[in-house]
Structure formats: C-alpha cells, structure tokens
C-alpha cells in the first residue's frame, strides 16, 4: 500500500502541469481562445481525447496517467470539452458503428467541427429513461425510419448539427427492448428546437420536437431494438464523470477565500461559528471523497474493475457541489438577492444565486440521487 | 390562550383569499412585476379600499388599531401567491416607524396618505461594509443650518424605484461601528443628490442601491430622537423579519402541497412518484418542518405584539428556521419535481426564489443562528 | 389570536405551582417519598388521575387546565406515574369493561395497590403489532381461554400483578380481526417472566412466556375478536404522550449548564463553535415544537379535534430527546467512556452514555419513527 | 501509487482473519473481558508468536520494520471482532513512544520484551482539568536527587490494570496550561505512591484513574528530552487516533453488513424489512459514509507513515468523521434492528458501544472538527 506516485508518474504530472501553464488561456481569453487551447491539446498527440484508444488517435495513457491528467486539468480549471461527440457518441460509434459510419462521423467529432447533442430524455422518461415513447417506424421499403415524438432537457440542441437519439421501434416485451439508436441531422425540417430557461436563468437545455423526420437506415447504429444496450454502458460512465470532485476542491477554496473577505463583527465570515463549522464538515467529507476516487483508480490500475466504493462518487460528489454552492449564497448575504448583469455587491456574489439554482440539476440529471441510491442498494448491497 | 382567529381576523383572511384567488394568478403576478414600478397600482388602490393598508395603524390617524398579528395573517396569504405590492416596505417598515416614533405632525402628514394608498415608503438600513450589522453605518448626516446633509450609500432598498419617501439610517455622531450616534431621517425619494442604481432581485422584485451626495433634509425630517435610533431600527428589523416569516409560511405551504400534488400525478417506473416510500417520507419531513416554522412564527409574532422581552430570542430563532426550512422545502420541491422543477416556467421555481430572497434579507440563517446562541 | 392565558387559567397555574412547591419530594426523597406525593395528588381531588372523567373521580380539568397541569408537572420534574393501570387500562375498562369488571379492577388501579403491565408486543409483532400470534383457545365448555405464546418488551412485567394482553382467537380475515383482549394474573403458574437487559444496562423490560394459562372468560374485555378496536385508540394516545417536550426543555437547560462547567481552551464547551451551534439549532426547533403542542391544545380547547400538526409531536419530540442525549455524551468527553457505578469524572457524565443508549428506544417503541412517517404520509398528507 | 496490499500485508491480514474466525467469537470475547486483567493472556502470547507484536518495530531491536499502515491492517481486522487485547496501549502507543524517542538502553530493555509478549505498557496523557488539551498538564515532576517525584492524577488510562509500565506525561516546568515544560516518564506500574481506581468502560474494556503521590522515577526513566515532550505526545496521539480509526472501520463494516443481513431476514407488515425503500436508502447511506471514512483512514495513515506535514489536518478530519459516522451507523444499526437492537444480547450492541468509546478517546467529534477548521 503506497500513496506516492512513481517517479515516472511524477514526471508525467510535471509534463502536464508545464503544458497547462504554457497553453492555458487566462481570464476573458478563456472564452475567446478556447479553440487554440483544444488545438494545443490535439498537437500533444491526442490529449484532447484522453480516453480514446490509441488506434483512434488516443494518447494511450495508463489509468494513473489518466487520473493525473484529469486531476491537473481540474485543478487548473481548464475549459471543459463539450462531451457529446468526443465523450459520448464516439465510444458507441467505435464499438457498434459500421465502418462506413465511423469513416463518416468520427472525423467531425475528432476535429470539433460537428456539434452533437444527446436525444435521450423525454417528458415521460427522465430517471425512468427506458419509458421513452418517441416512435420510429420503418418505411415499407425498409429504407428509412419515420420519427415522431418529443425530447426534452436536450443540452445544447440549439447549437448542435446532429443529435444521437433513442427511439422506440417496438412496444413488445420489456421497456428496455425495442429501443433503436438513430443519428438525426438537426437541420431536418421536421426538427424543431425550443429553449428551456432553467432556474439559474440560463439557456442551455431545450425541447426538441420531431415531426415526420425521415432517418435513413444507414443512420441507425447497430441493430434495430438494441439501442438500450448501446446507450446503457455510457450512462454509467456519464455518472462517474459528474462527481466533479476536483472542481469542488477548487470551488471550496474559492468559497473560503470569498468568506474571508466578508466582514462579520470583529473578524470575517470565516470566524462565524456556524459558517466555519459548515465549511469544516464539508471539507472533511471532500477530503474523504477525493481519496475514494483514488481508491477506485487504484483498483482499475491493478487491473480490477472499479469496486463498490466507486458507486458513491456521483451521489456524494453532486451533494458536495450543492453544499458548496449553498456556502456561496450564505457568504453573499444580502447580495445573494440581486439578479442579472448589474454588478452589485462583491464580485463572487453576482453568480452565487444563479450558480446555486443551476446546480440543483446535478442531483436530478444523469440519474437522480434517489435512483442512484436504489441502484446502489440493489446492485452493490444486494437489497431488494 | 386561544390561537384561533377572531371574527375580524377571519374576515380579513377571507377577503385576501378572495382577492388573490380571483385577481392574482401567478401569470398575472408575473405581469405585475414587469410594470415600471414593479407592481400594479390598481391592486395597491384596492388594498387601500379594502382597508388592508389601514389595518395596523392607530385609530387616531385613520387606522384600524390592529397589531403584528394582523400583518401576519395578511402576509401569510400574500405569500401563497407571491404578492409583489410594497406592503412590507410601506406598511410594515416605513409606516410602523412613523407610528412608533413620529411626531403628531409627522404622523398626520404621512399615515393618512399611506392608508389611502397615496404614499409609498421604504426603509434603507443596510450598508455595504457589513450589511447585517445594524450599527455598521458609514452614511454621515452632518448638521448644517436648520437641517442635515447626508452622504453615503445604502444597499438592497426594496421598492425605492416607486417610493415617495425613504426612511434612512445615518450617523450623526460617533465612529463607523458605534451603536450610538445613529439617527433616522425621512428623505424625499426625489431629493437632489440622491441617485439610485435599480435592479431586479432573484424573485423578480425591484430593489436599488442608493448613493447620497449632500442630500439635504430638514430637522423636522428627523424621526425620533437624535443619535439614538438603534432601538427603533431593531424594532423595525424585527417587524420586517416577522413579516417575511409570515410570507415564507404561505410560500412554503404552497410548495409542500404542490409537491404532494405533483408526485401523485407523475408516473415513474410504472408507479406514481408518491408511491415511493423515500419520497413520502421526504414530503412528511417537509410537512413537519413547515409546521415547526409556522408554530414559531405565530409565537414570535404574538410575543412581539405583546411587547414581551422574550420576543427577541424567538425572532432570531424564527429567522434561522425560516431560512433553513425554506431552503430544505424549496430544494426538495425542485428535486421531487425532477427536471420540471428546474424550469423557469413552473410555479415552484418562483416560490423557491422568493424564499431565497427572504433568507437574504435582515440577516440570513447563519447570522441569526449565531445571534440566537449568543 | 391570543397567546396569553386567561386570569382564571393563570390562577389555576398558580395553584398548581404552589401545590408542587409544597408537596414535591426533593433529592433522594424522590424515591423514598413517592407514595406520599401521589397521596397528596389524590387528596387534591383526583389530581393523580387528571385525564379521568369526573364520574370516576377525575378532576374535570378544561383542556387548557390539563395543559397547564401537565406543563407544570413536567417543568418541575415531578415523579412520573407508571402509566399501565391509570393511563392505559383504565380508559379501556371504563369504555368497554362490564360493570363487574369495573367494580373488580378499578379500585386497585385507583389506589395504586395493583401493578399492571401491557402484553402487546411479540417477537414477530413490534411495529406491525397486528401480526401477533399468542393463541387463546376457548375451552369446550366456553368457560376459559387456554393461552399459549410469548410477549416481549413487556415493561415492568417483573413487578406486575396483572397483565392486560392481546391474544389471537382467530386467524380468519384481516390480521386486525380475531384479536381478543384478556386480563391475566402474573402469578399464574403458566406465566414465566425473563428479564431483558437493554443497551443502557438496565432491566425494565421483559420477555413473558405464556404456557397453558387458563384465563376465565370473565377476564375478557368486551367481545371476542374485538381486542384490536379497544387497544387501537389507546396506541394513538400513547404516542402523543411520548413526545416529552417539557422534559426536553429541562434536559436541554441541564445539558447547557453542564457544558458551561466543562473547560475548553479559554472558555467553556459552550463557547466551542461546533457545540454551541448544535445547541442553538436544537433549541430553536424545541421552541417551535413547544408551541406546536400549544397549537394542538388550542384546537382541542376550541372543541375541534387535534389538527394535523399534532402528528408531528412524537416524531419530532423523540428525535429531540435523542439529540439532547447526544449533547450529553459530547459534553462528557472522555468521561462518556466509564461504565457502572464508580463515580468518575463530572457528575452528569455518569449517566450520560447509559441515558443516550437507553434513549435510542424512543424512536423504536410506541411506533418506530419510520412507521410514524408512513402514517403521517398516509393519513395526514393523503400519500399512498 | 498503489493502494492494494503487498504480499506481506496480505499474509498478515490473512493470519489475523484466520485467528479471529477460529478463536475469537463474540461470546469468547465476552469471556476474555471478564478475566482479571481484562483480556486473555494466551491470546497475547499467540499475538507474539505470530509476529504481530513485532510488526511495527525496527529490525535493530527484533522488529519487522513495518509502519502505521501495518497497524492499520491489523487493527481493522481486530475491530471486526472487537479484540480486547492491549495492542493499542502496548504497541501503538507505549511501544511507538520508545521506538521514536528512547535511548538505545531504553529500547534494548523494553522493545524485545514487548515483542515477546512479556511486557504490557500503556500511555497516560489525559488529566481531569481539560482532558482533550494535551498541554493541560497539572501533574508535576519535581527534580530531586538523581530523579524526580511525580504528583498529580491521570484519567482514562486503558489497560493500567495489567500494565507493567506506564508512559506518563508530567510537567517539569512552566504553568499548568503551557505548551512547553512537559516531559514523559516511564513509570513502573507497581511504583510506590501510584494508586489506581479501576473501572470498566462502556465497551467492557478496563481503564483506570491514576493518583500519583510522590512517585519516584530515576532520570533514566525520562523518555526524550526534558520539558519538550509536546511534539512526541502529539505524535503518539496521532498514532492512537489512526489505530482507533482503523478499528472503527472494521467495527462499522460489521455493523452495516449485519444490518443488511438482519433486514433481509426480518419480516414486518408482510415484507422483509429490506424491501422498504426508506430502509434501503438508509443502509446505502451507511455504506456510503463507511466508505468515506475508510478512504480518509487509508489516506491519513499513509501520510503519517510518510511523515508528511499534511497528515495532521487529515487526522483531525478523520477523527471527526470516525465519531460522526460511528454514531450514525451505530444508531441506525440499532434503529433498523428495532427492539432487538436494544438488547445487550445482540452483537450490534457491543459494536455500537465500542464506537462510542472510540469517539470519546483522544478528543471526540466536536473537538476535532474545531481543530480541523482551526
């Protein structure tokens, strides 16, 4: 049992940190120089696609290198990648796509020229995703599917060129059967996108209405009726990614720094017993969660699958994200009340409430916490 | 001891319930906040006509002689429909200040106008340096000629955009954080040297930051005695807290009840959400916590109305619980509404936001817990 | 809406307080002069049986007087009455007993000369009480029941003369049917009592084995098979009594006083942020719960039944009791560790851990908190 | 970085598992605690024979050169069966002190005896005035002739009843609460003037209050340098905390797992308890919290073994979480066992009590949370 990284791993860590320091855009450049950053990653030999296999251009990281890479990227708050193409569709394509589909779609994903969105959730199919109703009927000549239905909570649908989409081709058998995985161009006249403004006041999710959209069978991934199998593996993957533990470490440090600037009596808010204790309780759990992620990594490095403790990462990680965002509104005090662009009160207070409200989604999307607990109880603890 | 409503109180409650059920749907409310002054003037005139604005003023100046208990009854109902008219600013804070400390002349010139719905007032007490500390007053009132010149700034002044008069704390002596040396002034909202930065708050209401540069007030604009307004400010803050708490009770009731309704309708995994034991217990917790806050709100309000010394402790405990429970109920209303709870469209989003703003005012959860434990 | 007591009620309160001050045994006399205390209550005209109707000797308190009476008794920590005879069996006897049974059993309950215990719970029937299996078979001549089975958690069975007991006379129909209410003398040779030592280290509950106990039909209350109906009303009543709110008020004051005596750095434990905040959070909820009890009382006074808020009293009251007992072990620090009679550390520390452990029962017995929540969800909120 | 066990560690773990599964049922354990010295001497001899007592000592004095990580592996297994032998007192505390600060003579005279199972030691650090404050030392060591005379008292000294030697903190200079001026002495348990009040602790272990009246020690009974034992005491307390935490991990694992098993068997309302969603989620919470503490225990232990500066913060956070989670898991194990959980008979009662005593030692939950947040 050894907590230290090997010399090789430390050298790799050094390399990653140096790269970040040399290439990371600062301040407002975060938004304007995004593309340059991803190009620099690409130029390193697949650092933009750290999880891809070597044959598709991935960098071939060991599990420990992957962890170090993710850790340093998070620690330095590098710009997040939009996950739908690179992270979500690509693995499915690589595993289940035809040679033709791979040749057609992978390049646009690889160079970031094509934006994808994920058409899974529906008004009646959220946590219970297999309940989806969007209908895809095969034409008589078997050349296309006619798709009708509604998707919702579709992140970035309004800037996407394509959607990968779960549709129902049969209602026989279990809900999980009869689901088919289709790729749909967003510029089809039957596709209509309407914005949803969320609690935090922002527009990133949408409703997508599909009316008589004709999707050629060549846009179907794998077999008809097997879509659930293809998508399922990824859902699990999506969940661990949502723990955002390193982001929380940064966010908590920021929250503490902000609270130190808020005058409260003789000292700062960080001297106020109730606030201080909440910070402490949270930080202790975060320390523990951070190391839980390492335990998971260590098992994967040792060639075992992730152990049962990996199941807690999303559950606890999102809870901690939310508690940090609560600290921020508490620290903002009366300045948690102003809304909108006018700068009122301390800088951090401006985004505190919208961050808190927007963050309520983390325990709902990607498997609501209640559903996560059902799953852990059943699959890990053998309950019911 | 009798905690049921008197006949008069029952009538008051009924009249408000009738008003909001016929004239105050949430979509109408969301139109009212878009009007220039942030609320609907004809509603305000109706409040006056129905006698609601008169309720808590003494009979001598045209009021109905009610107490904080009557405010509570009204605000609880307002909270159920997120009523945006400036009742708290004008009646509970500004009006009460005049009633408590005004000279006969001040009362005569202001209270009847409030009661008639002709005068909107508000209360500017917080300053950026330490908004929760009522003694952290850096705004200075310098005596000159027969009056004072005011210089400084105020934060989060609700309804300043529509106010005719602003009650404003300023330092007439002492150092920045001294408890003594603070005075209250009735300032004309249009006074020269007074500039506003207006903004909306999270819940869609209007508030402003105020800058004062040599704003001139006369000596008869002073409210109460010179340099010792601390006690009066604390009393007003207490009234503000009680008012917000009553509103929050109404708001929380709607949230927990509509969550129950939603989960009965919404199907997931072939069952109504309401069939899941974990969600049932969560809603039971919401119900339990709601009832605890409601109890403490009633108690603190009645103690304040009696002028009992123990009111202060209860008010600190109350504001703490209002914040904590408001967040618990709001968060779980959103969580149990699932994705739907995340949309701006749905009513619960507005109710939740209102609770967040209520927590932020007059010192939040943390602040009052620390005050309560001393 | 008026929080103040009427002049009459204030006068009554004064009378109760004066009585207590004049008669309450102090210190060790609490144990030796118990009987004198109850005699004094009796001499006041039924103050030992405040809930009994006037025709049975009760004092005829108004609901407000009852509240004031209970409040002051709790505030002054007067010796608790053993509830089984006076509080539990008597109301059932009065409502459902025959004239003969009333004449036979009420006097012993009234003067405290006969101890009763409650034979409800069984190894397979705790929260799910109706699941009870103790069998009572009517003899061929119809003169007695032959009772066989086992009761458990039977409080004070080891000092009881009689047990009132739920038995199963039929297995047909719903579980709640076929239950019969019998009175069983504890000196019957077929009754065997074995102690259960509970977590806190004390003996107050027992297992009671019933083997071929012959119970004359004249010892049956009401009709055969209707026992559940008779017992049920009382169960609800038992639950509200368990909230112990005024005891908690006293206990919290004591806990704070103890903590003030514990040195911690420059000040006392009460200055330690985490402890102080726990006390504050608890006290705020207790203030709220106290007034919730008054809201319930006010509705009863006004001639309405207790409203939905009354259902939270036991649930929240027991939770608060437990949290106060946690404060005590925290305040005891290392002196929470010693066990038994040797006095080690500060006085209060001696009973802290056994009090904490014993108190775990409050959320289990009389309807576990989880069951209470099921009941509130169903009956009050209309869920499921 | 590799968090899997080395081959040697795996062998060690296996040997302990084998021992407790064959020789250490809970009923046997409850017999062991009834023996005069509070544990079973032949068990202790087996610990020695199996090399467990040698594990963490340096090879120079007959040890196997292991670290705190090896202690953790052993104590986690001990915790699963509530092993009562004085491993923590003798090896983790007393033994480590000698190893860290002893002179070659002290090491030679004590360590081999410990390894052979011939010497039981313990550590007396807490005093009644403020037990959690390691500098609150009122016991005085007054220099006289070639040695010192000790006067004062010590609280909650585990295994003093069976100890041959007691490591004891005493003040050789300064005021009662000074950080400086504290020294450590190796005191013979049979020394004249040393009296014990023995008692059992909640978990059935043996502890004592010590009174010292002119207890004579020689100058070569001083451990480490005169008047500056503060750092060493903190190191020992850290080792004690890590040891208890490892034990607690084992104990919590048994509690949450046996609760799962019980609820699968136990029927209520015609269902296994394990079918109720609220109970499923509760057990999931127990599992989640257990895993968090386990992670932090591993981390803090490895950091301490490396001598990393950040170990201290992690140890404070760990002891806080051990106490909090121990209570959460213990309480819910009792709650979910229903009435059965309330009986002394059932195993879970003993496990729960052990967790309570672990919380009480070396500063409880509250104490370490406050230390952690600084």
């Amino acid at each position: 049992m050894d907590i230290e990284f090997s010399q090789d791993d430390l050298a790799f860590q050094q390399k990653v940190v140096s790269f970040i320091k040399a290439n990371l855009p600062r301040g407002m450049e975060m938004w304007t120089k995004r593309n340059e950053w991803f190009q620099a990653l690409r130029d390193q030999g697949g650092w933009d696609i750290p999880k891809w296999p070597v044959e598709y251009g991935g960098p071939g990281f060991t599990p420990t290198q992957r962890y170090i890479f993710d850790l340093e990227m998070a620690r330095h708050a590098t710009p997040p990648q939009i996950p739908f193409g690179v992270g979500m569709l690509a693995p499915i394509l690589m595993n289940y796509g035809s040679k033709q589909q791979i040749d057609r779609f992978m390049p646009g994903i690889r160079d970031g020229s094509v934006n994808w969105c994920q058409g899974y959730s529906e008004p009646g199919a959220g946590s219970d995703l297999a309940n989806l109703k969007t209908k895809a009927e095969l034409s008589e000549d078997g050349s296309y599917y006619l798709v009708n239905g509604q998707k919702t909570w579709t992140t970035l649908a309004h800037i996407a060129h394509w959607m990968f989409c779960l549709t129902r081709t049969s209602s026989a058998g279990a809900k999980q059967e009869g689901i088919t995985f289709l790729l749909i161009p967003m510029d089809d006249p039957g596709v209509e996108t309407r914005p949803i403004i969320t609690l935090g006041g922002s527009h990133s999710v949408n409703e997508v209405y599909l009316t008589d959209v004709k999707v050629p069978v060549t846009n179907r991934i794998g077999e008809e009726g097997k879509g659930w199998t293809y998508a399922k593996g990824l859902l699990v993957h999506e969940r661990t990614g949502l723990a955002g533990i390193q982001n929380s470490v940064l966010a908590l440090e920021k929250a503490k720094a902000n609270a130190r600037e808020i005058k409260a009596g003789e000292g700062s808010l960080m001297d106020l017993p109730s606030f201080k204790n909440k910070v402490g309780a949270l930080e202790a759990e975060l320390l523990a969660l951070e190391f839980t992620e390492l335990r998971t990594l260590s098992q994967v490095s040792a060639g075992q699958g992730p152990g049962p403790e990996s199941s807690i990462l999303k559950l606890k990680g999102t809870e901690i994200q939310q508690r940090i965002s609560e600290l921020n509104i508490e620290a903002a005090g009366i300045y948690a009340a102003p809304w909108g662009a006018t700068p009122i009160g301390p800088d951090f207070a401006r985004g505190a409430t919208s961050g808190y409200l927007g963050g309520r989604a983390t325990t709902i999307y990607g498997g609501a916490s209640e559903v996560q607990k059902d799953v852990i109880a059943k699959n890990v603890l053998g309950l019911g | 001891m009798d905690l049921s409503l008197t006949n008069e109180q029952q009538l008051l409650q009924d009249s408000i319930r009738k008003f909001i059920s016929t004239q105050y749907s949430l979509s109408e409310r969301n139109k009212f906040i878009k009007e220039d002054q942030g609320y609907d003037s004809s509603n305000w005139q109706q409040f006056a006509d129905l006698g609601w604005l008169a309720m808590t003023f003494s009979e001598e100046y045209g009021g109905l002689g009610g107490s904080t208990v009557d405010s509570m009854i009204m605000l609880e109902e307002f909270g159920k429909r997120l009523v945006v008219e400036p009742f708290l600013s004008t009646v509970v804070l500004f009006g009460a200040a005049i009633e408590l400390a005004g000279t006969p002349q001040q009362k005569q010139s202001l209270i009847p106008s409030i009661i008639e719905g002709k005068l909107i007032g508000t209360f500017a007490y917080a300053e950026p340096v330490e908004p929760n500390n009522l003694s952290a007053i850096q705004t200075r009132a310098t005596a000159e000629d027969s009056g004072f010149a005011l210089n400084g700034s105020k934060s989060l002044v609700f309804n300043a955009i529509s106010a005719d008069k602003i009650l404003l704390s300023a330092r007439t002596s002492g150092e920045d954080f001294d408890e003594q040396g603070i005075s209250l002034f009735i300032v004309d909202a249009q006074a020269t040297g007074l500039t506003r930065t207006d903004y909306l708050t999270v819940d869609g209401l209007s508030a402003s930051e105020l800058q004062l540069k040599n704003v001139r007030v006369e000596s008869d604009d002073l409210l109460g005695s010179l340099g010792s307004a601390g006690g009066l400010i604390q009393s007003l803050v207490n009234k503000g807290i009680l008012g917000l708490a009553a509103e929050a009770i109404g708001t929380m009731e709607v949230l927990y009840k509509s969550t129950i309704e939603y989960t009965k309708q919404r199907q997931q995994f072939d069952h109504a959400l309401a069939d899941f034991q974990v969600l049932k217990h969560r809603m039971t917790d919401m119900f339990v916590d709601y009832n605890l806050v409601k109890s403490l709100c009633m108690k603190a309000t009645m103690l304040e109305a009696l002028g009992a010394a123990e009111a202060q402790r209860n008010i600190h405990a109350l504001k703490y619980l209002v914040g904590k429970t408001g967040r618990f109920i709001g968060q779980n209303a959103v969580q149990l509404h699932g994705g739907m709870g995340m949309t701006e469209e749905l009513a619960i989003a507005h109710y939740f936001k209102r609770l967040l703003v209520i927590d932020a005012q007059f010192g939040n959860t943390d602040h009052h817990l620390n005050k309560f434990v001393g």
Side-chain angles (χ1 to χ4, degrees), chain A, chain B:
Chain A
M1 219 184 257
D2 182 9
I3 198 174
E4 291 177 297
F5 287 125
S6 69
Q7 284 306 319
D8 282 356
D9 287 334
L10 287 174
F12 176 75
Q13 187 171 33
Q14 197 43 57
K15 185 176 164 192
V16 174
V17 171
S18 306
F19 169 83
I20 294 172
K21 290 197 170 150
N23 291 285
L24 183 67
R26 294 275 152 211
M28 290 309 290
E29 290 191 344
M30 275 294 226
W31 306 103
T32 56
K33 300 215 165 160
R34 235 183 106 80
N35 290 339
E36 284 86 336
W37 163 252
F38 285 104
Q39 191 53 50
L41 285 170
R42 219 167 272 135
D43 295 342
Q44 281 295 107
W47 282 23
D48 59 321
I49 44 170
K51 296 174 194 175
W52 286 22
V54 179
E55 60 266 39
Y56 284 100
F61 290 159
T62 66
T64 304
Q65 285 178 328
R66 262 281 300 291
Y67 173 79
I68 290 171
F69 184 81
D70 290 349
L71 178 74
E72 295 302 337
M73 290 292 153
R75 276 189 182 159
H76 292 86
T78 60
Q81 210 166 25
I82 297 173
F84 303 109
V86 167
M88 297 182 158
L89 179 58
I92 292 177
L93 268 180
M94 292 186 254
N95 278 316
Y96 308 106
S98 65
K99 167 87 175 55
Q100 215 176 14
Q101 288 169 334
I102 289 174
D103 290 345
R104 180 172 171 205
F105 293 112
M106 287 295 280
I109 295 175
R110 179 72 181 88
D111 67 16
S113 61
V114 178
N115 295 333
W116 287 84
C117 66
Q118 183 195 55
Y120 286 4
S121 296
E122 297 183 6
S127 286
D128 184 11
L129 188 58
N131 202 34
L132 60 91
K133 301 270 187 282
T134 291
K135 210 161 142 190
E137 286 174 293
L138 195 59
S139 61
E140 289 192 3
D141 65 357
S143 68
Y144 65 88
Y145 289 96
L146 192 68
V147 179
N148 280 285
Q150 185 197 338
K151 294 291 169 182
T152 192
W153 317 123
T154 317
T155 306
L156 300 184
H158 55 301
I159 60 159
H161 305 100
W162 284 81
M163 171 163 71
F164 56 93
C165 190
L166 292 178
T167 60
R168 183 160 298 286
T169 40
S170 159
S171 305
K175 285 193 293 192
Q176 287 76 8
E177 296 164 26
I179 291 176
T180 298
F181 198 108
L182 299 179
L183 308 181
I184 299 178
M186 296 296 282
D187 60 1
D188 187 287
V191 176
E192 189 200 345
T193 301
R194 295 186 201 157
I196 299 175
I197 305 301
T198 48
L199 267 185
S202 64
H203 170 210
S204 69
V205 295
N206 302 273
E207 297 177 301
V208 179
Y209 291 83
L210 302 161
T211 312
D212 290 338
V213 181
K214 287 184 187 171
V215 182
V217 289
T218 50
N219 285 8
R220 184 188 73 210
I221 302 289
E223 290 176 51
E224 183 175 295
K226 291 282 170 68
W228 183 256
T229 316
Y230 309 148
K232 203 176 52 177
L234 207 66
L235 286 175
V236 174
H237 169 259
E238 182 191 2
R239 278 162 201 185
T240 53
L242 291 170
I245 294 169
Q246 286 305 322
N247 291 332
S248 289
V249 171
L250 284 182
L252 184 57
E253 284 311 314
K254 264 190 224 158
K256 285 161 70 177
N258 292 335
R260 269 187 219 104
E261 301 298 313
I262 304 291
K263 181 170 161 41
E266 298 300 297
S268 82
L269 188 59
M270 275 299 285
D271 302 307
L272 208 67
S274 65
F275 192 83
K276 186 174 172 171
N277 268 286
K278 249 180 284 189
V279 169
L282 188 48
E283 196 168 354
E285 289 182 40
L286 184 52
L287 278 179
L289 190 65
E290 234 189 317
F291 202 75
T292 307
E293 201 174 31
L294 280 174
R295 282 171 65 197
T296 302
L297 165 72
S298 168
Q299 280 168 316
V300 175
S301 300
Q304 303 153 19
E309 65 278 8
S310 67
S311 62
I312 75 180
L313 297 176
K314 192 248 170 181
L315 183 65
K316 202 71 196 173
T318 51
E319 180 204 312
I320 282 180
Q321 289 172 38
Q322 291 185 341
R323 283 162 64 192
I324 295 172
S325 75
E326 278 192 74
L327 289 181
N328 283 331
I329 55 171
E330 285 166 18
I334 66 168
Y335 297 113
W339 188 247
T342 321
I344 307 289
D347 277 350
F348 79 91
R350 249 173 96 182
T353 302
S354 62
Y356 164 81
L357 288 167
R360 304 314 306 169
T362 60
T363 52
I364 297 173
Y365 298 158
S369 291
E370 291 83 0
V371 177
Q372 294 279 115
K373 286 191 186 179
D374 283 343
V375 170
I376 295 175
K378 188 173 174 197
N379 297 348
V380 182
L381 306 181
L383 288 163
Chain B
M1 195 197 59
D2 178 7
L3 304 183
S4 52
L5 299 183
T6 62
N7 286 341
E8 292 75 14
Q9 289 167 340
Q10 192 64 63
L11 287 171
L12 175 63
Q13 193 183 61
D14 291 345
S15 85
I16 298 177
R17 286 185 177 174
K18 191 175 158 208
F19 173 80
I20 63 170
S21 73
T22 55
Q23 300 186 42
Y24 224 100
S25 70
L26 191 65
S27 63
E28 282 166 318
R29 181 255 187 197
N30 289 344
K31 272 178 222 148
F32 299 152
I33 59 178
K34 295 215 173 75
E35 298 188 24
D36 283 347
Q37 68 277 38
Y39 64 93
D40 184 86
S41 304
S42 68
N43 283 338
W44 191 248
Q45 195 52 54
Q46 282 194 68
F47 284 22
D49 298 345
L50 289 161
W52 301 347
L53 305 184
M55 197 55 64
T56 54
F57 291 104
S58 60
E59 292 168 18
E60 198 178 345
Y61 297 96
L64 296 167
S67 76
T68 321
V69 174
D70 300 283
S71 298
M72 178 181 77
I73 292 165
M74 291 189 272
L75 281 156
E76 184 176 351
E77 298 306 319
F78 290 164
K80 291 180 187 170
R81 215 50 80 85
L82 305 179
V83 166
V84 298
E85 279 65 27
F87 187 83
L88 195 92
S89 295
T90 300
V91 175
V92 177
L93 297 168
F94 184 85
I98 307 302
E99 177 83 41
L100 283 170
T103 61
Q105 290 82 341
Q106 287 171 329
K107 289 183 181 179
Q108 197 52 62
S109 80
L110 297 167
I111 295 177
S113 305
I114 294 174
I115 290 174
E116 288 166 32
K118 305 290 180 232
L119 189 150
I120 302 296
T122 189
F123 178 37
Y125 71 98
E127 298 196 3
V129 60
E130 196 185 349
N132 289 338
N133 181 348
L134 302 178
S135 306
I137 300 297
Q138 298 183 315
T139 296
R140 293 270 163 182
T142 319
E144 49 165 50
D145 308 335
S146 64
F148 299 85
L150 305 180
N151 284 283
S153 60
K154 293 285 167 185
S155 275
L156 199 70
V157 187
F158 278 90
N159 304 111
I161 196 170
S162 55
D164 302 296
K165 296 282 182 186
I166 300 171
L167 181 68
L168 195 142
S169 57
R171 185 168 291 288
T172 42
S173 64
E175 300 295 321
D176 280 1
F177 296 91
D178 286 358
E179 287 185 21
Q180 288 302 313
I182 301 169
S183 305
L184 281 170
F185 295 94
I186 303 163
V187 180
D188 197 285
Q190 305 306 323
T192 312
L194 176 64
T195 52
R196 296 193 323 261
T197 308
D198 300 329
Y199 51 88
L200 294 182
T201 51
V202 171
D203 52 355
L205 302 192
S206 303
S208 308
E209 304 292 294
L210 302 185
Q211 291 291 332
L212 298 101
K213 276 198 184 148
N214 289 316
V215 174
R216 169 82 194 176
V217 288
E218 300 309 316
S219 58
D220 56 8
D221 294 327
L222 176 73
L223 184 76
S225 55
L226 188 71
S228 56
L232 179 55
I233 292 173
Q234 183 65 61
S235 300
L236 295 176
V237 165
N238 285 348
K239 284 179 185 292
I241 290 174
L242 292 171
L244 288 175
E247 236 194 290
I249 302 301
T251 304
M252 289 184 218
E253 184 181 335
V254 172
L255 275 175
Y256 95 75
K257 287 186 172 168
S258 55
T259 303
I260 289 174
E261 286 318 305
Y262 179 81
T263 58
K264 283 180 179 170
Q265 308 305 324
R266 171 78 178 172
Q267 301 282 318
Q268 192 100 300
F269 300 110
D270 305 322
H271 286 276
L273 280 182
D275 291 343
F276 290 92
Q277 195 192 20
V278 160
L279 305 190
K280 282 186 209 177
H281 283 207
R282 192 85 51 81
M283 289 184 275
T284 302
D285 291 338
M286 291 161 81
F287 163 78
V288 167
D289 288 359
Y290 157 78
N291 264 295
L292 290 178
V293 190
K294 173 153 179 154
S295 294
L296 198 53
C297 181
M298 289 169 70
K299 181 183 178 194
T301 302
M302 287 187 278
L303 289 173
E304 195 269 356
L306 281 177
E310 46 189 312
Q312 189 63 62
R313 290 195 78 226
N314 282 278
I315 288 170
H316 287 312
L318 173 63
K319 188 63 166 52
Y320 157 69
L321 272 192
V322 163
K324 179 176 169 244
T325 306
R327 229 182 288 156
F328 176 75
I329 290 179
Q331 287 173 356
N332 278 296
V334 169
Q335 181 75 20
L336 271 58
H337 276 78
M340 287 311 295
M342 286 301 298
T343 61
E344 274 289 317
E345 268 170 73
L346 216 68
I348 61 150
H350 298 277
Y351 283 82
F352 184 20
K353 288 176 168 187
R354 178 70 192 132
L355 289 177
L356 292 177
V357 174
I358 285 175
D359 184 33
Q361 285 180 73
F362 299 119
N364 63 13
T365 302
D366 261 348
H367 175 78
H368 284 281
L369 177 58
N370 287 293
K371 284 273 179 191
F372 176 62
V373 297

